[in-house]
């Protein structure tokens, strides 16, 4: 299994333009929330706990994130668990609201992502490695942690592999 450094550097190589990273700070959480909302139905009770596809996905991905990095993984699991709590509230609403919130956030999140990749001049990471869909939320969290001044060694190791972030000039026909 690749290390957290391997995964973040691999994903980060597609995300060196600061504007792209900024769009990911908005778009990725929207997409994650949308997926959690859409997976929050149907649910069934097991020992007093409502089990949904979203909860199962959180457990499975949570294990993966924790295996990569206990601190970042634990924080990400807590954030997605909070999203799940909100998603369960949305899922309890009418089907129209549930689908409107889920599909709406998903579409808007991806539009924001593709705007960022226009600035990057590069396709999204998941096009070359589907695992990028799981690493994206971890990357966004790591970027926030780095901005707050934490995990400097990890940030420095990533930049040693793929270089620092920058602002690229947008080239005509770049997408």
């Amino acid at each position: 299994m690749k290390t957290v450094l391997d995964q973040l550097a691999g994903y980060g190589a597609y995300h060196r333009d600061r504007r792209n990273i900024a769009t990911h700070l908005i778009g990725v959480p929207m997409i994650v929330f949308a997926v959690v909302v859409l997976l929050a139905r149907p649910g069934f009770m097991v020992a007093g706990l409502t089990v949904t596809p979203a909860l199962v996905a959180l457990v499975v991905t949570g294990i993966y994130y924790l295996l990569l990095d206990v601190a970042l993984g634990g924080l990400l699991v807590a954030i997605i668990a909070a999203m799940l709590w909100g998603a369960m509230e949305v899922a309890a609403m009418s089907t129209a609201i549930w689908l409107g919130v889920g599909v709406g956030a998903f579409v808007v999140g991806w539009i924001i992502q593709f705007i960022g990749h226009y600035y990057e001049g590069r396709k999204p990471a998941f096009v070359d490695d589907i695992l990028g869909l799981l690493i994206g939320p971890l990357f966004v969290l790591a970027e926030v942690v780095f901005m707050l001044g934490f995990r400097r060694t990890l940030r420095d190791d990533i930049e040693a592999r793929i270089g620092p972030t920058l602002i690229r000039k947008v080239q005509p026909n770049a997408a």
Side-chain angles (χ1 to χ4, degrees), residues 8 14 37 93 103 122 148 154 174:
L8 291 176
Y14 291 78
V37 165
M93 297 177 183
V103 172
R122 204 157 175 205
L148 293 173
L154 179 58

Side-chain angles (χ1 to χ4, degrees), residues 13 22 25 40 62 78 95 98 107 122-123 126 131 136 153 171:
L25 295 176
T95 300
W98 167 66
V107 169
R122 204 157 175 205
K123 61 189 169 188
F126 77 87
L131 195 56
T153 301
Q171 301 295 323

Side-chain angles (χ1 to χ4, degrees), residues 21-97:
I21 293 170
T23 63
H24 281 57
L25 295 176
I26 299 165
V28 168
M30 286 182 75
I31 294 166
V32 172
F33 182 67
V35 169
V36 174
V37 165
L38 293 170
L39 293 176
R41 278 188 183 185
F44 57 93
M45 297 299 290
V46 175
L49 176 69
T50 303
V51 177
T52 64
L55 180 60
V56 173
L58 174 59
V59 170
V60 171
T61 59
I63 290 168
Y64 177 70
Y65 291 137
L66 288 167
L67 288 172
L68 281 176
D69 186 281
V70 172
L72 288 174
L75 185 54
L76 187 54
V77 168
I79 291 167
I80 298 173
M83 287 183 178
L84 178 56
W85 177 82
M88 294 300 290
E89 296 294 317
V90 174
M93 297 177 183
S94 71
T95 300
I97 292 173

Side-chain angles (χ1 to χ4, degrees), residues 27 30-31 105-115 124 126 133:
M30 286 182 75
I31 294 166
F106 189 81
V107 169
V108 171
W110 277 108
I111 289 169
I112 293 168
Q113 294 294 92
F114 286 116
I115 291 169
F126 77 87
L133 292 171

